[in-house]
Amino acid sequence: MTAAVRVRSDSEIRSVTDAEVPDWIRALNTGFLRAPMASEAEVADRRSQLIPDRTLGAFDAGRCVATFRSFRQELTAVGGAAVPADAITNVSVTSTHRRRGLLSRMMAKDLAAAKDRGDVVATLIAAEYPIYGRYGFGPATHATEWMIDVPRAGLDRRYTGPDDGGRVDLVDGEDVRKLGPELHERLRRRQPGAVDRTDRWWQVSTGVVRRNGSPWTEPFYAVHRGPDGTVEGLAAYTCDDTWSDAKQPLNTVTVKNLIAVTPAAERALWLHLCSIDWVTKVRSGYRAPDDLLPHLLPDPRAATPLTHADWLWVRILDVVRALEARTYEGSGTLVLEVVDPAGPAGGRRRLEATPEGASCTPTTESADLTLDVAQLASLWLGDESAVRLAALGRVQEERAGAARSADALLRTSRRPWCPDMF
Protein backbone atom coordinates (compact mmCIF):
# COMPACT_ATOMS: atom_id res chain seq x y z
CA MET A 1 0.00 0.00 0.00
CA THR A 2 1.34 3.43 -0.95
CA ALA A 3 1.89 5.72 2.01
CA ALA A 4 0.00 9.00 1.95
CA VAL A 5 2.15 12.08 1.37
CA ARG A 6 1.57 14.84 3.88
CA VAL A 7 1.71 18.22 2.15
CA ARG A 8 2.30 21.19 4.41
CA SER A 9 1.12 24.59 3.21
CA ASP A 10 1.78 26.62 6.34
CA SER A 11 4.68 28.62 4.88
CA GLU A 12 4.08 32.36 4.95
CA ILE A 13 3.99 34.19 1.60
CA ARG A 14 4.88 37.87 1.87
CA SER A 15 7.06 40.71 0.64
CA VAL A 16 10.73 40.52 1.57
CA THR A 17 12.08 43.05 4.03
CA ASP A 18 15.44 44.76 3.56
CA ALA A 19 16.97 42.67 6.35
CA GLU A 20 15.79 39.47 4.64
CA VAL A 21 17.45 40.18 1.28
CA PRO A 22 20.56 38.03 2.01
CA ASP A 23 18.32 35.09 2.99
CA TRP A 24 16.18 35.60 -0.11
CA ILE A 25 19.30 35.58 -2.32
CA ARG A 26 20.52 32.40 -0.57
CA ALA A 27 17.20 30.70 -1.40
CA LEU A 28 17.34 31.98 -4.99
CA ASN A 29 20.91 30.76 -5.50
CA THR A 30 20.02 27.40 -3.97
CA GLY A 31 17.07 27.01 -6.34
CA PHE A 32 19.27 27.79 -9.34
CA LEU A 33 22.03 25.42 -8.11
CA ARG A 34 24.52 28.23 -7.58
CA ALA A 35 26.78 28.66 -4.56
CA PRO A 36 24.21 29.60 -1.89
CA MET A 37 25.86 32.44 -0.01
CA ALA A 38 26.00 35.83 -1.68
CA SER A 39 28.82 38.32 -1.42
CA GLU A 40 28.31 41.71 0.15
CA ALA A 41 28.57 43.24 -3.33
CA GLU A 42 25.80 40.99 -4.67
CA VAL A 43 23.56 41.78 -1.71
CA ALA A 44 24.13 45.51 -2.19
CA ASP A 45 23.42 45.26 -5.90
CA ARG A 46 20.24 43.26 -5.33
CA ARG A 47 19.03 45.71 -2.69
CA SER A 48 19.39 48.57 -5.16
CA GLN A 49 17.15 46.80 -7.70
CA LEU A 50 14.46 44.99 -5.72
CA ILE A 51 11.00 46.53 -5.53
CA PRO A 52 9.71 45.59 -2.04
CA ASP A 53 6.07 44.94 -2.90
CA ARG A 54 7.08 42.99 -6.03
CA THR A 55 9.70 40.81 -4.33
CA LEU A 56 8.06 37.83 -2.65
CA GLY A 57 9.35 35.02 -0.51
CA ALA A 58 7.92 31.96 1.18
CA PHE A 59 9.14 31.59 4.76
CA ASP A 60 9.11 28.44 6.87
CA ALA A 61 10.20 28.90 10.51
CA GLY A 62 11.81 32.19 9.50
CA ARG A 63 13.87 30.74 6.64
CA CYS A 64 13.23 31.72 3.02
CA VAL A 65 12.36 28.61 0.99
CA ALA A 66 10.93 30.10 -2.23
CA THR A 67 11.51 33.28 -4.24
CA PHE A 68 9.56 35.34 -6.77
CA ARG A 69 10.15 38.77 -8.28
CA SER A 70 8.46 40.94 -10.89
CA PHE A 71 9.17 44.32 -12.44
CA ARG A 72 7.67 46.81 -14.87
CA GLN A 73 8.19 46.04 -18.55
CA GLU A 74 6.91 47.14 -21.95
CA LEU A 75 6.20 44.48 -24.58
CA THR A 76 5.77 45.28 -28.26
CA ALA A 77 2.53 44.01 -29.78
CA VAL A 78 1.97 43.33 -33.47
CA GLY A 79 2.05 46.72 -35.20
CA GLY A 80 4.45 48.37 -32.75
CA ALA A 81 2.30 49.43 -29.80
CA ALA A 82 3.96 48.96 -26.40
CA VAL A 83 1.72 47.37 -23.78
CA PRO A 84 2.47 47.40 -20.02
CA ALA A 85 3.66 44.02 -18.84
CA ASP A 86 4.34 42.35 -15.50
CA ALA A 87 7.75 40.73 -16.07
CA ILE A 88 8.30 37.74 -13.78
CA THR A 89 11.75 36.43 -12.89
CA ASN A 90 13.85 34.91 -10.08
CA VAL A 91 11.29 32.14 -9.46
CA SER A 92 12.54 29.30 -7.28
CA VAL A 93 11.29 26.77 -4.75
CA THR A 94 13.82 25.01 -2.51
CA SER A 95 13.92 21.25 -3.11
CA THR A 96 12.78 20.52 0.46
CA HIS A 97 9.55 22.45 -0.10
CA ARG A 98 8.37 21.30 -3.52
CA ARG A 99 4.75 20.39 -4.24
CA ARG A 100 3.31 22.50 -1.45
CA GLY A 101 1.65 25.15 -3.57
CA LEU A 102 4.22 27.87 -2.82
CA LEU A 103 4.69 28.94 -6.44
CA SER A 104 0.92 28.90 -7.00
CA ARG A 105 0.37 31.23 -4.05
CA MET A 106 3.13 33.63 -5.08
CA MET A 107 1.94 33.65 -8.69
CA ALA A 108 -1.68 34.33 -7.69
CA LYS A 109 -0.59 37.23 -5.47
CA ASP A 110 1.60 38.79 -8.16
CA LEU A 111 -0.89 38.40 -11.04
CA ALA A 112 -3.70 39.90 -8.95
CA ALA A 113 -1.51 42.93 -8.23
CA ALA A 114 -0.56 43.18 -11.93
CA LYS A 115 -4.23 43.19 -12.95
CA ASP A 116 -4.98 45.88 -10.36
CA ARG A 117 -2.11 48.00 -11.72
CA GLY A 118 -3.57 47.80 -15.21
CA ASP A 119 -0.94 45.58 -16.80
CA VAL A 120 -2.20 44.04 -20.05
CA VAL A 121 -0.03 40.91 -19.92
CA ALA A 122 2.50 39.12 -17.75
CA THR A 123 5.72 37.73 -19.25
CA LEU A 124 8.50 35.33 -18.34
CA ILE A 125 11.21 33.10 -19.78
CA ALA A 126 10.45 29.54 -18.68
CA ALA A 127 13.34 27.42 -17.41
CA GLU A 128 11.14 24.31 -17.80
CA TYR A 129 8.23 23.85 -20.19
CA PRO A 130 5.56 22.15 -17.99
CA ILE A 131 5.47 24.70 -15.17
CA TYR A 132 3.63 27.79 -16.36
CA GLY A 133 0.77 26.59 -18.55
CA ARG A 134 -1.29 25.93 -15.46
CA TYR A 135 -1.10 29.62 -14.60
CA GLY A 136 -2.43 30.70 -18.01
CA PHE A 137 0.92 31.37 -19.72
CA GLY A 138 1.51 30.20 -23.27
CA PRO A 139 4.67 30.22 -25.42
CA ALA A 140 4.36 33.35 -27.56
CA THR A 141 7.78 33.46 -29.23
CA HIS A 142 10.41 30.86 -30.08
CA ALA A 143 14.16 31.06 -30.53
CA THR A 144 16.66 29.25 -32.73
CA GLU A 145 20.44 29.19 -32.41
CA TRP A 146 22.74 28.27 -35.31
CA MET A 147 26.37 27.27 -35.58
CA ILE A 148 27.92 28.54 -38.82
CA ASP A 149 30.67 26.44 -40.38
CA VAL A 150 32.51 29.35 -41.98
CA PRO A 151 34.72 27.43 -44.45
CA ARG A 152 31.65 25.61 -45.78
CA ALA A 153 29.50 28.76 -46.09
CA GLY A 154 30.81 29.67 -49.54
CA LEU A 155 31.60 33.27 -48.67
CA ASP A 156 34.05 35.30 -50.73
CA ARG A 157 37.37 35.21 -48.88
CA ARG A 158 38.20 38.57 -50.43
CA TYR A 159 35.26 40.29 -48.66
CA THR A 160 36.36 43.59 -47.08
CA GLY A 161 33.07 45.18 -46.05
CA PRO A 162 29.71 46.46 -47.33
CA ASP A 163 29.63 47.62 -50.93
CA ASP A 164 26.56 49.87 -50.54
CA GLY A 165 28.29 52.84 -48.88
CA GLY A 166 27.77 51.54 -45.35
CA ARG A 167 30.55 50.48 -43.01
CA VAL A 168 31.26 48.33 -39.96
CA ASP A 169 33.41 49.78 -37.16
CA LEU A 170 34.69 48.33 -33.90
CA VAL A 171 33.79 50.41 -30.85
CA ASP A 172 34.11 50.08 -27.08
CA GLY A 173 31.61 49.70 -24.25
CA GLU A 174 31.30 53.43 -23.68
CA ASP A 175 30.25 53.89 -27.31
CA VAL A 176 27.72 51.07 -26.95
CA ARG A 177 26.12 52.75 -23.94
CA LYS A 178 25.71 55.91 -26.02
CA LEU A 179 24.59 54.37 -29.31
CA GLY A 180 22.81 51.21 -28.24
CA PRO A 181 19.69 52.51 -26.42
CA GLU A 182 18.41 54.59 -29.33
CA LEU A 183 19.10 51.77 -31.80
CA HIS A 184 17.23 49.29 -29.63
CA GLU A 185 14.28 51.66 -29.29
CA ARG A 186 14.06 51.79 -33.08
CA LEU A 187 14.13 47.99 -33.21
CA ARG A 188 11.53 47.34 -30.52
CA ARG A 189 9.06 49.78 -32.05
CA ARG A 190 8.88 47.48 -35.08
CA GLN A 191 9.58 44.04 -33.60
CA PRO A 192 6.62 42.17 -32.04
CA GLY A 193 7.79 40.32 -28.95
CA ALA A 194 10.61 42.74 -28.11
CA VAL A 195 10.83 44.28 -24.64
CA ASP A 196 12.34 47.51 -23.36
CA ARG A 197 15.88 47.73 -22.02
CA THR A 198 16.78 49.87 -19.02
CA ASP A 199 19.98 51.84 -18.49
CA ARG A 200 21.02 49.06 -16.13
CA TRP A 201 20.67 46.50 -18.96
CA TRP A 202 23.29 48.39 -20.94
CA GLN A 203 25.54 48.74 -17.88
CA VAL A 204 25.38 44.99 -17.20
CA SER A 205 25.90 44.05 -20.84
CA THR A 206 29.02 46.24 -21.07
CA GLY A 207 30.53 45.21 -17.73
CA VAL A 208 29.94 48.39 -15.75
CA VAL A 209 27.75 46.39 -13.35
CA ARG A 210 28.75 42.81 -12.46
CA ARG A 211 25.95 40.47 -11.34
CA ASN A 212 26.15 37.35 -9.17
CA GLY A 213 29.91 37.58 -8.92
CA SER A 214 30.18 36.16 -12.44
CA PRO A 215 33.54 36.59 -14.21
CA TRP A 216 33.51 39.23 -16.92
CA THR A 217 34.99 38.81 -20.39
CA GLU A 218 35.02 42.05 -22.35
CA PRO A 219 33.27 41.43 -25.70
CA PHE A 220 34.15 42.92 -29.03
CA TYR A 221 31.55 45.41 -30.27
CA ALA A 222 30.84 46.07 -33.94
CA VAL A 223 28.57 48.87 -35.17
CA HIS A 224 27.08 49.11 -38.65
CA ARG A 225 26.53 52.60 -40.04
CA GLY A 226 24.48 53.23 -43.15
CA PRO A 227 25.68 55.36 -46.08
CA ASP A 228 24.52 58.51 -44.25
CA GLY A 229 26.37 57.56 -41.05
CA THR A 230 23.25 56.49 -39.10
CA VAL A 231 23.80 53.57 -36.74
CA GLU A 232 21.67 50.68 -38.07
CA GLY A 233 23.11 47.65 -36.28
CA LEU A 234 25.15 46.50 -33.32
CA ALA A 235 26.83 43.20 -32.46
CA ALA A 236 28.55 42.11 -29.25
CA TYR A 237 30.64 38.95 -29.43
CA THR A 238 33.46 36.99 -27.84
CA CYS A 239 35.99 34.64 -29.35
CA ASP A 240 37.86 31.64 -27.98
CA ASP A 241 41.51 30.74 -28.69
CA THR A 242 41.56 27.26 -30.20
CA TRP A 243 44.23 25.85 -32.50
CA SER A 244 44.64 22.39 -33.98
CA ASP A 245 47.69 20.19 -33.41
CA ALA A 246 48.67 21.07 -36.96
CA LYS A 247 48.90 24.75 -35.93
CA GLN A 248 45.69 25.67 -37.72
CA PRO A 249 43.33 28.23 -36.14
CA LEU A 250 39.92 26.83 -35.16
CA ASN A 251 38.45 29.77 -33.32
CA THR A 252 34.74 30.18 -32.57
CA VAL A 253 32.92 33.51 -32.32
CA THR A 254 29.98 33.50 -29.89
CA VAL A 255 27.43 36.25 -30.46
CA LYS A 256 26.14 37.76 -27.22
CA ASN A 257 23.74 40.20 -28.86
CA LEU A 258 23.05 41.29 -32.42
CA ILE A 259 20.34 43.78 -33.34
CA ALA A 260 19.72 45.56 -36.62
CA VAL A 261 16.98 47.77 -38.04
CA THR A 262 17.71 47.15 -41.73
CA PRO A 263 18.44 43.97 -43.71
CA ALA A 264 21.62 45.65 -45.00
CA ALA A 265 22.91 46.12 -41.45
CA GLU A 266 22.01 42.56 -40.51
CA ARG A 267 23.83 41.19 -43.56
CA ALA A 268 26.89 43.36 -42.99
CA LEU A 269 27.27 42.32 -39.35
CA TRP A 270 26.97 38.59 -40.06
CA LEU A 271 29.43 38.85 -42.94
CA HIS A 272 31.81 40.76 -40.69
CA LEU A 273 31.68 38.00 -38.08
CA CYS A 274 32.23 35.30 -40.71
CA SER A 275 35.19 37.10 -42.27
CA ILE A 276 37.34 37.56 -39.15
CA ASP A 277 40.73 35.91 -39.62
CA TRP A 278 41.22 32.63 -37.70
CA VAL A 279 37.48 32.19 -37.14
CA THR A 280 36.09 28.90 -38.44
CA LYS A 281 32.77 28.81 -36.57
CA VAL A 282 30.22 31.44 -35.52
CA ARG A 283 27.63 30.66 -32.86
CA SER A 284 24.65 32.92 -33.49
CA GLY A 285 22.99 33.25 -30.10
CA TYR A 286 19.19 33.01 -29.88
CA ARG A 287 17.48 34.39 -32.99
CA ALA A 288 13.96 34.37 -34.40
CA PRO A 289 13.19 31.00 -36.06
CA ASP A 290 12.71 32.78 -39.41
CA ASP A 291 15.88 34.86 -39.06
CA LEU A 292 17.58 35.83 -42.31
CA LEU A 293 20.88 34.37 -41.18
CA PRO A 294 21.04 30.97 -42.92
CA HIS A 295 20.01 32.45 -46.25
CA LEU A 296 22.54 35.26 -46.05
CA LEU A 297 25.10 32.53 -46.74
CA PRO A 298 25.70 31.13 -50.23
CA ASP A 299 25.29 27.67 -48.64
CA PRO A 300 22.52 27.88 -45.99
CA ARG A 301 23.36 24.33 -44.83
CA ALA A 302 26.54 25.77 -43.32
CA ALA A 303 24.29 27.13 -40.54
CA THR A 304 23.36 24.11 -38.43
CA PRO A 305 20.56 24.56 -35.87
CA LEU A 306 21.81 23.91 -32.34
CA THR A 307 18.68 24.85 -30.41
CA HIS A 308 15.05 25.47 -31.23
CA ALA A 309 12.74 26.06 -28.28
CA ASP A 310 10.03 28.18 -26.75
CA TRP A 311 11.30 31.52 -25.46
CA LEU A 312 8.99 34.32 -24.26
CA TRP A 313 5.85 33.15 -22.45
CA VAL A 314 2.86 35.48 -22.15
CA ARG A 315 -0.13 35.47 -19.81
CA ILE A 316 -2.96 37.75 -20.98
CA LEU A 317 -4.56 39.69 -18.14
CA ASP A 318 -6.80 42.02 -20.16
CA VAL A 319 -8.16 40.39 -23.33
CA VAL A 320 -9.85 43.54 -24.61
CA ARG A 321 -6.81 45.78 -24.37
CA ALA A 322 -4.49 43.06 -25.69
CA LEU A 323 -6.53 42.44 -28.83
CA GLU A 324 -7.20 46.14 -29.41
CA ALA A 325 -3.53 47.08 -28.97
CA ARG A 326 -2.27 45.04 -31.91
CA THR A 327 -2.84 45.64 -35.61
CA TYR A 328 -4.39 43.36 -38.23
CA GLU A 329 -3.45 43.03 -41.90
CA GLY A 330 -6.96 42.04 -42.96
CA SER A 331 -10.56 42.56 -41.90
CA GLY A 332 -12.85 40.15 -40.13
CA THR A 333 -14.94 39.29 -37.12
CA LEU A 334 -14.25 36.54 -34.60
CA VAL A 335 -16.15 35.58 -31.45
CA LEU A 336 -13.82 34.02 -28.88
CA GLU A 337 -14.81 32.05 -25.80
CA VAL A 338 -11.76 32.34 -23.53
CA VAL A 339 -11.48 29.87 -20.67
CA ASP A 340 -9.58 31.16 -17.65
CA PRO A 341 -10.74 29.40 -14.46
CA ALA A 342 -8.09 30.95 -12.21
CA GLY A 343 -7.80 34.42 -13.69
CA PRO A 344 -9.42 37.54 -15.10
CA ALA A 345 -9.36 36.78 -18.82
CA GLY A 346 -12.32 34.41 -19.12
CA GLY A 347 -15.45 35.28 -21.05
CA ARG A 348 -16.89 35.63 -24.54
CA ARG A 349 -15.84 38.57 -26.68
CA ARG A 350 -16.38 39.74 -30.23
CA LEU A 351 -13.29 40.91 -32.10
CA GLU A 352 -13.91 43.19 -35.07
CA ALA A 353 -10.65 43.92 -36.84
CA THR A 354 -9.58 46.00 -39.81
CA PRO A 355 -6.20 47.37 -40.91
CA GLU A 356 -7.36 50.72 -39.50
CA GLY A 357 -8.03 49.38 -35.99
CA ALA A 358 -9.93 46.87 -33.88
CA SER A 359 -12.61 46.68 -31.23
CA CYS A 360 -13.13 43.88 -28.74
CA THR A 361 -16.35 43.79 -26.74
CA PRO A 362 -18.26 41.34 -24.52
CA THR A 363 -21.00 39.49 -26.40
CA THR A 364 -23.67 36.83 -26.03
CA GLU A 365 -23.33 35.71 -29.64
CA SER A 366 -22.38 32.11 -30.32
CA ALA A 367 -18.65 31.53 -30.12
CA ASP A 368 -16.57 30.78 -33.22
CA LEU A 369 -13.66 29.39 -31.21
CA THR A 370 -13.27 28.17 -27.65
CA LEU A 371 -9.76 28.26 -26.25
CA ASP A 372 -7.79 28.44 -23.05
CA VAL A 373 -6.18 31.77 -22.15
CA ALA A 374 -2.75 30.15 -22.63
CA GLN A 375 -3.59 29.31 -26.25
CA LEU A 376 -4.79 32.86 -26.82
CA ALA A 377 -1.40 34.08 -25.63
CA SER A 378 0.31 31.86 -28.23
CA LEU A 379 -1.90 33.34 -30.95
CA TRP A 380 -1.76 36.97 -29.84
CA LEU A 381 1.73 37.83 -31.14
CA GLY A 382 1.09 36.01 -34.42
CA ASP A 383 3.49 33.09 -33.90
CA GLU A 384 1.05 30.20 -33.59
CA SER A 385 -1.66 28.85 -35.92
CA ALA A 386 -5.23 28.31 -34.72
CA VAL A 387 -5.58 25.57 -37.34
CA ARG A 388 -2.57 23.81 -35.84
CA LEU A 389 -3.89 24.22 -32.30
CA ALA A 390 -7.26 22.82 -33.39
CA ALA A 391 -5.52 19.78 -34.86
CA LEU A 392 -3.78 19.31 -31.52
CA GLY A 393 -7.09 19.53 -29.68
CA ARG A 394 -6.13 22.74 -27.89
CA VAL A 395 -8.64 24.97 -29.68
CA GLN A 396 -12.25 23.98 -30.29
CA GLU A 397 -13.93 25.12 -33.50
CA GLU A 398 -17.55 25.99 -32.76
CA ARG A 399 -18.06 27.15 -36.35
CA ALA A 400 -16.59 25.28 -39.31
CA GLY A 401 -13.63 27.19 -40.73
CA ALA A 402 -13.27 29.47 -37.69
CA ALA A 403 -9.67 28.43 -37.05
CA ARG A 404 -8.70 29.36 -40.60
CA SER A 405 -10.48 32.70 -40.18
CA ALA A 406 -8.53 33.26 -36.97
CA ASP A 407 -5.24 32.60 -38.73
CA ALA A 408 -6.14 35.08 -41.46
CA LEU A 409 -6.61 37.74 -38.78
CA LEU A 410 -3.97 36.91 -36.19
CA ARG A 411 -0.94 35.41 -37.93
CA THR A 412 1.87 37.69 -39.07
CA SER A 413 4.14 37.61 -42.11
CA ARG A 414 7.28 37.46 -39.92
CA ARG A 415 7.53 35.64 -36.61
CA PRO A 416 7.75 37.56 -33.33
CA TRP A 417 11.09 37.64 -31.55
CA CYS A 418 12.26 38.58 -28.07
CA PRO A 419 16.01 39.31 -28.15
CA ASP A 420 16.33 39.38 -24.36
CA MET A 421 16.56 37.10 -21.33
CA PHE A 422 15.21 38.42 -18.03
Side-chain angles (χ1 to χ4, degrees):
M1 183 173 65
T2 302
V5 178
R6 180 172 177 263
V7 177
R8 299 200 311 265
S9 59
D10 52 354
S11 298
E12 181 185 12
I13 304 292
R14 57 175 170 79
S15 298
V16 176
T17 68
D18 186 71
E20 292 168 335
V21 169
D23 190 37
W24 186 89
I25 297 173
R26 177 202 49 73
L28 174 66
N29 287 345
T30 299
F32 279 82
L33 302 181
R34 299 191 291 252
M37 302 311 295
S39 66
E40 291 184 6
E42 182 181 354
V43 171
D45 181 54
R46 283 284 186 184
R47 277 196 172 116
S48 70
Q49 298 302 312
L50 296 181
I51 305 168
D53 62 351
R54 299 182 71 164
T55 305
L56 302 177
F59 293 85
D60 185 356
R63 182 181 178 88
C64 188
V65 294
T67 63
F68 190 108
R69 182 170 73 89
S70 69
F71 60 93
R72 179 187 175 278
Q73 186 183 72
E74 288 186 347
L75 171 66
T76 303
V78 176
V83 301
D86 176 52
I88 294 170
T89 187
N90 294 156
V91 177
S92 76
V93 177
T94 303
S95 57
T96 55
H97 286 68
R98 298 168 66 244
R99 305 295 183 261
R100 302 185 187 184
L102 300 182
L103 173 55
S104 295
R105 291 166 62 192
M106 292 189 295
M107 183 69 76
K109 185 178 179 68
D110 182 79
L111 293 181
K115 176 63 176 175
D116 290 344
R117 279 194 305 270
D119 291 337
V120 174
V121 298
T123 60
L124 55 82
I125 308 290
E128 296 182 73
Y129 193 97
I131 297 174
Y132 294 100
R134 64 183 184 268
Y135 304 119
F137 287 83
T141 79
H142 288 73
T144 303
E145 182 175 27
W146 287 273
M147 180 72 84
I148 304 171
D149 185 342
V150 175
R152 179 182 168 183
L155 296 168
D156 186 352
R157 294 177 61 86
R158 298 168 297 176
Y159 176 80
T160 59
D163 57 6
D164 59 357
R167 58 183 291 162
V168 173
D169 298 310
L170 293 180
V171 299
D172 60 24
E174 184 178 0
D175 296 313
V176 170
R177 291 189 293 275
K178 293 176 182 177
L179 302 172
E182 192 276 335
L183 174 67
H184 178 261
E185 281 299 297
R186 291 169 61 199
L187 172 70
R188 83 173 180 105
R189 286 197 294 267
R190 67 182 71 184
Q191 178 59 64
V195 298
D196 60 320
R197 291 177 176 175
T198 63
D199 289 341
R200 177 181 169 81
W201 188 96
W202 294 99
Q203 292 173 347
V204 170
S205 67
T206 55
V208 174
V209 174
R210 312 285 173 87
R211 295 188 307 183
N212 303 329
S214 301
W216 171 253
T217 299
E218 182 75 15
F220 301 96
Y221 303 104
V223 167
H224 174 271
R225 292 182 170 88
D228 64 355
T230 302
V231 174
E232 296 179 340
L234 168 67
Y237 58 96
T238 59
C239 191
D240 65 9
D241 183 21
T242 303
W243 290 71
S244 74
D245 292 338
K247 206 173 180 293
Q248 294 294 319
L250 300 172
N251 296 318
T252 297
V253 158
T254 298
V255 176
K256 314 299 288 185
N257 182 49
L258 189 152
I259 57 175
V261 294
T262 66
E266 200 169 342
R267 177 188 297 271
L269 288 172
W270 287 119
L271 293 184
H272 164 72
L273 296 173
C274 290
S275 65
I276 299 172
D277 287 341
W278 298 359
V279 169
T280 58
K281 292 187 182 299
V282 174
R283 186 164 184 153
S284 71
Y286 293 134
R287 312 294 302 170
D290 62 346
D291 197 85
L292 301 180
L293 172 58
H295 295 280
L296 294 175
L297 308 174
D299 184 351
R301 293 186 187 179
T304 302
L306 298 178
T307 302
H308 175 75
D310 54 282
W311 190 245
L312 181 74
W313 288 58
V314 169
R315 205 279 188 217
I316 293 181
L317 300 171
D318 189 325
V319 174
V320 170
R321 290 171 64 200
L323 290 175
E324 290 183 346
R326 59 159 289 171
T327 59
Y328 301 85
E329 294 185 9
S331 298
T333 300
L334 199 64
V335 178
L336 301 173
E337 179 76 40
V338 180
V339 180
D340 187 14
R348 187 175 301 174
R349 299 170 183 88
R350 175 186 174 90
L351 171 65
E352 294 187 64
T354 72
E356 289 71 43
S359 67
C360 184
T361 55
T363 184
T364 58
E365 295 179 50
S366 297
D368 297 319
L369 287 179
T370 298
L371 69 169
D372 183 89
V373 65
Q375 310 308 325
L376 180 61
S378 294
L379 294 169
W380 177 60
L381 284 177
D383 196 46
E384 187 54 271
S385 159
V387 170
R388 184 169 180 267
L389 292 178
L392 290 166
R394 299 175 186 175
V395 165
Q396 178 66 44
E397 272 194 321
E398 310 295 353
R399 172 180 61 79
R404 190 174 298 277
S405 299
D407 280 353
L409 278 182
L410 298 171
R411 297 208 80 180
T412 53
S413 54
R414 292 291 302 273
R415 298 183 72 173
W417 176 49
C418 179
D420 293 299
M421 164 76 81
F422 56 89

